[in-house]
Amino acid sequence: MFWLVIILIIFIFQAATILILEFRNPSKAVAWLFILFCVPPIGFVVYYFVAQDFNKRKKVRKAGSRIFREIRETIWEQAYIVEKATDMPENRFMHQQRLFNLLSHLSESPITGCSRSRVLTNGREAFPAMLKEMEKAKHHLHVEFYIFRDDAISTKFQEVMIRKAQEGVRVRFICDGLGSHKMSRGFIRELQDAGVEFHYFLPPLIATIDRRVNYRNHRKIIVVDGRVGFVGGINVGDDYLGKYPKIGFWRDTHVQLEGDAVYFLQNTFLNDWKLASGEQITKSQLIDLFPPHICSGQERIQILASGPDQDWDAIQEMCFGAISVACDRIYITSPYFIPDPALYEALKTAAVSGVDVKIIIPYQSDSRLVHLASVSYVEELLLAGVEFYQYRKGFIHAKVMIVDELLATVGTANMDMRSFFCNFELTAVLFESSSMDRLVADFERDLSVSSKIDLKVFQGRSRGQKGAEILSRMLSPLL
């Protein structure tokens, strides 16, 4: 009896600790309590090492270099910063002043002009474009990926980085410690022997000991001489070329950027580099890292970063703000659809209000648990009028949102809580008609190879399926 009382007291203490530490996020508290109830001996230990901790967020922010703040005035002088809604394309924001104000104050990255974008659909279009620009590097080449494999296409990237380093170009290369853990030591050694500076971002062992294993760097960035940049959903691996038979065709979206927007890709990379390497970039180096450039385009583009190193959950707030003001259409493509309560209600409200809301998710997923959690949100949204489509041609990994004629987004963040609140993410917000038209055309093409989810058929799924969805839904804040 005595030991039962002791065990009960320990269990109550653990549950109380979770409730106190996670009071800001009730849904996450419920998920961790569920794990604690299922596996009491180890649930709290996992929580201690894995769960997001507010003090750790402050530690990560403090560790960041904040280079952008140090040279803010210099970049503001060099870049064209859009400060008024009347300066946006075709006066689209004349009646959306609140959304413009939100976008203008979300993060340290304002809306810029003098930029140009090129939408790249799938790895077969994106990889050659990346490699071509990397070959042009004269001063520096910055490469950052969540997943960098050790296969045929990865070897091509390796060869270019090695060649550039041997030519005297400063090559900095970051990979996420968990996402790229399968990259061989020999592959890395070849890079380092040639002069490429390589660092893992939060290697799993170190991150676990330091209780930061939950912070994964999901960004995909390339910056060439501070002049050209790339961001989007595509990692480096043969699977992104459809060469993995189990998955088949891999549908994805990336974007190539030139002009002022690249300053903010560069800033994000350098903050990540400081966290990964500890190197403090000097002000004298910044002159070459943020070179003045001739205005090469008239597009308005905003680069939004979010993660533990940021003061705001900028990408989630941008999505919520844009969805909330939609009048005509909301098109979303996401491989993992686990919306937080605010976005969930915003989508329901938009659909009930008559907005055309279409969401494409995979039919074939690379994660059974995440897929179950995703479909657990479908029925209620279908009842509200949201249309769901399952991509059938292969696996869809693109992270795209299009709202009215206002804006479109391409980036690394999925429409899920992990991307919004835990991971280091990066999204390009595009405002030009040509870019949005290309993304709409891609979306409609994806619809043509997707099957629409019928409400009555969906409601007829088995009890076992529904039960699995309920359990996955309880864990969804952690996925």
Side-chain angles (χ1 to χ4, degrees), residues 5 24 86 248 257 319 415-416:
V5 172
R24 295 179 180 85
T86 53
L257 302 174
C319 291
M415 191 66 66
D416 66 12

Side-chain angles (χ1 to χ4, degrees), residues 80-99:
Y80 171 42
I81 307 301
V82 179
E83 298 180 343
K84 297 182 296 183
T86 53
D87 292 333
M88 295 299 286
E90 302 174 19
N91 290 325
R92 293 195 198 104
F93 283 79
M94 285 291 291
H95 303 292
Q96 296 293 351
Q97 185 67 45
R98 286 182 61 191
L99 178 60

Side-chain angles (χ1 to χ4, degrees), residues 22 38 95 98-99 109 187 227 242 266 275 300 328 356 365 389 394:
E22 298 296 342
C38 290
H95 303 292
R98 286 182 61 191
L99 178 60
S109 301
F187 188 92
R227 174 183 56 83
Q266 184 79 292
L275 283 169
R300 274 57 168 160
D328 299 316
D356 180 19
S365 179
Y389 296 82

Side-chain angles (χ1 to χ4, degrees), residues 11 14 35-46:
F11 183 84
Q14 294 175 344
I35 293 175
L36 182 63
F37 274 99
C38 290
V39 284
I42 61 174
F44 190 74
V45 175
V46 174

Side-chain angles (χ1 to χ4, degrees), residues 17-123:
T17 300
I18 292 173
L19 288 171
I20 292 170
L21 294 179
E22 298 296 342
F23 76 93
R24 295 179 180 85
N25 195 333
S27 60
K28 184 176 289 186
V30 170
W32 280 113
L33 287 173
F34 175 69
I35 293 175
L36 182 63
F37 274 99
C38 290
V39 284
I42 61 174
F44 190 74
V45 175
V46 174
Y47 172 79
Y48 179 83
F49 284 104
V50 173
Q52 179 173 317
D53 179 84
F54 183 70
N55 290 325
K56 292 300 175 183
R57 280 181 69 104
K58 291 194 293 185
K59 181 177 179 179
V60 172
R61 289 190 191 117
K62 186 176 180 181
S65 61
R66 297 301 186 190
I67 292 172
F68 184 77
R69 289 182 178 176
E70 297 178 6
I71 62 158
R72 190 175 190 274
E73 292 182 4
T74 302
I75 295 182
W76 246 252
E77 289 175 3
Q78 294 178 183
Y80 171 42
I81 307 301
V82 179
E83 298 180 343
K84 297 182 296 183
T86 53
D87 292 333
M88 295 299 286
E90 302 174 19
N91 290 325
R92 293 195 198 104
F93 283 79
M94 285 291 291
H95 303 292
Q96 296 293 351
Q97 185 67 45
R98 286 182 61 191
L99 178 60
F100 178 82
N101 291 343
L102 172 68
L103 295 174
S104 299
H105 295 89
L106 270 181
S107 73
E108 297 173 352
S109 301
I111 300 172
T112 63
C114 286
S115 297
R116 179 181 299 167
S117 68
R118 176 190 171 198
V119 176
L120 303 168
T121 304
N122 302 323

Side-chain angles (χ1 to χ4, degrees), residues 190-411:
E190 289 179 21
L191 288 163
Q192 293 175 324
D193 289 346
V196 175
E197 299 173 55
F198 172 80
H199 290 278
Y200 274 121
F201 191 97
L202 294 180
L205 180 58
I206 295 174
T208 300
I209 294 172
D210 199 34
R211 295 180 60 201
R212 290 190 286 175
V213 72
N214 202 38
Y215 299 142
R216 302 323 319 165
N217 193 319
H218 199 237
R219 294 167 179 161
K220 297 95 177 168
I221 302 172
I222 292 178
V223 178
V224 180
D225 291 341
R227 174 183 56 83
V228 176
F230 296 84
V231 66
I234 299 176
N235 291 292
V236 179
D238 286 347
D239 43 343
Y240 290 81
L241 293 170
K243 293 185 178 180
Y244 283 19
K246 185 178 179 180
I247 295 177
F249 179 73
W250 190 290
R251 169 72 181 90
D252 221 319
T253 301
H254 226 65
V255 63
Q256 176 179 336
L257 302 174
E258 297 178 22
D260 291 349
V262 179
Y263 285 141
F264 301 98
L265 290 182
Q266 184 79 292
N267 176 67
T268 301
F269 177 89
L270 291 174
N271 273 282
D272 290 348
W273 181 255
K274 172 62 168 60
L275 283 169
S277 70
E279 179 188 357
Q280 181 64 57
I281 304 297
T282 65
K283 288 190 176 182
S284 61
Q285 291 175 295
L286 295 172
I287 297 173
D288 294 316
L289 294 171
F290 295 89
H293 52 251
I294 300 173
C295 185
S296 61
Q298 299 301 317
E299 283 192 51
R300 274 57 168 160
I301 297 174
Q302 184 175 27
I303 302 298
L304 288 180
S306 67
D309 60 337
Q310 301 293 315
D311 295 323
W312 302 96
D313 298 311
I315 296 176
Q316 186 272 348
E317 292 166 15
M318 175 274 297
C319 291
F320 176 79
I323 289 170
S324 297
V325 303
C327 296
D328 299 316
R329 70 182 180 192
I330 300 169
Y331 294 166
I332 294 172
T333 301
S334 181
Y336 316 115
F337 180 77
I338 304 177
D340 67 285
L343 282 180
Y344 178 75
E345 292 300 327
L347 288 168
K348 282 178 64 177
T349 301
V352 170
S353 302
V355 177
D356 180 19
V357 184
K358 290 183 171 67
I359 300 174
I360 299 177
I361 59 176
Y363 176 77
Q364 173 184 331
S365 179
D366 62 344
S367 172
R368 173 67 174 166
L369 182 61
V370 176
H371 182 70
L372 286 169
S374 294
V375 297
S376 73
Y377 292 87
V378 169
E379 183 172 337
E380 296 161 77
L381 290 173
L382 285 174
L383 288 167
V386 176
E387 295 180 19
F388 277 90
Y389 296 82
Q390 291 184 302
Y391 189 79
R392 293 275 187 163
K393 189 176 178 180
F395 177 58
I396 193 160
H397 190 255
K399 302 100 164 51
V400 174
M401 181 177 73
I402 305 158
V403 177
D404 292 348
E405 301 291 335
L406 286 173
L407 58 82
T409 67
V410 177

